């Protein structure tokens, strides 16, 4: 008489097959959707202007400018006001051809880049303005606030925090005279 093989291996295979089928049915939850930053370029620009502020009690040095450069800055301001950011950028680019190392004009051009959503250019121009300009006053705060906003727009929170920390050093009280 011949003895049949035990049903144990068949049962083990059946249990394994059912286990694999059940494992295939379970799934990991999808990752949470990424946080979408809905801050507009205009809101970023408003943040820069709010941080810059103007304080009558602090030292703020302004350079003398060539009248032709002032005219180009005025054209840029008018075009910006009219919503022509490309025209404003072009006027400031022409001014920079005349005085490439003016931190005020570099900052104005950085702010146009910020409004255009050109985060990398805004940061580059603002950093160049920092390297050439005063380390105090409203213009200094505008430089660092622009750098901060460019980093925030690119979701670079650690770099934005570092830039924000630089803003504090831009405020130096003026001389108190009695």
């Amino acid at each position: 008489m011949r003895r049949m093989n035990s049903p144990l291996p068949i049962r083990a295979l059946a249990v394994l097959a059912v286990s694999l089928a059940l494992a295939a049915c379970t799934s990991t939850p999808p990752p949470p959707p990424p946080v979408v930053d809905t801050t507009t370029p205009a809101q970023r620009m408003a943040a820069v202007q709010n941080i810059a502020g103007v304080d009558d009690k602090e030292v703020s040095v302004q350079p003398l400018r060539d009248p032709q450069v002032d005219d180009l800055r005025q054209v840029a301001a008018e075009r910006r006001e009219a919503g022509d950011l490309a025209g404003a950028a072009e006027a400031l680019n022409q001014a920079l051809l005349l005085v490439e190392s003016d931190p005020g004009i570099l900052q104005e051009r950085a702010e146009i880049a910020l409004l255009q959503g050109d985060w990398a250019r805004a940061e580059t121009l603002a950093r160049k303005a920092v390297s050439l300009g005063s380390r105090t006053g409203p213009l200094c705060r505008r430089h660092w606030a622009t750098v901060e906003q460019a980093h925030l727009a690119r979701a670079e929170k650690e770099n934005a925090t570092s830039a924000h920390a630089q803003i504090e050093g831009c405020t130096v009280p003026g001389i108190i005279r009695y």
Side-chain angles (χ1 to χ4, degrees):
M1 183 178 216
R2 207 168 139 217
R3 194 167 174 189
M4 284 187 92
N5 287 341
S6 156
L8 187 58
I10 294 173
R11 244 186 248 168
L13 286 175
V15 169
L16 180 62
V18 169
S19 296
L20 289 173
L22 288 175
C25 291
T26 62
S27 64
T28 58
V35 176
V36 177
D37 184 356
T38 59
T39 308
T40 66
Q43 289 169 324
R44 292 194 184 287
M45 187 62 225
V48 169
Q49 291 170 331
N50 287 338
I51 286 174
V54 176
D55 187 347
D56 296 348
K57 298 176 181 135
E58 72 180 318
V59 176
S60 180
V61 179
Q62 298 296 320
L64 295 175
R65 289 200 171 92
D66 179 309
Q68 185 179 1
V69 171
D70 275 340
D71 289 345
L72 288 167
R73 289 179 67 231
Q74 182 61 37
V75 167
E78 290 168 1
R79 289 181 180 169
R80 176 180 167 181
E81 188 67 30
D84 178 10
L85 296 177
E90 181 55 36
L92 290 171
N93 288 341
Q94 288 177 19
L96 285 170
L97 289 174
L98 298 172
V99 287
E100 65 188 51
S101 62
D102 184 319
I105 296 171
L106 284 164
Q107 180 59 36
E108 290 171 21
R109 182 60 183 92
E111 291 171 358
I112 295 296
L114 193 69
L115 287 169
Q116 291 174 316
D118 189 348
W119 316 128
R121 177 172 250 180
E123 179 185 3
T124 299
L125 290 164
R127 283 190 181 277
K128 184 174 181 181
V130 165
S131 71
L132 296 169
S134 173
R135 304 276 192 255
T136 62
L139 189 57
C140 176
R141 287 192 297 275
R142 282 171 56 196
H143 301 326
W144 285 113
T146 301
V147 171
E148 176 189 26
Q149 289 301 317
H151 284 300
L152 287 172
R154 295 181 300 215
E156 299 169 349
K157 293 193 184 284
E158 189 174 312
N159 292 336
T161 301
S162 175
H164 186 79
Q166 299 296 320
I167 294 170
E168 291 296 316
C170 293
T171 303
V172 176
I175 299 169
I176 300 173
R177 299 189 180 166
Y178 298 97

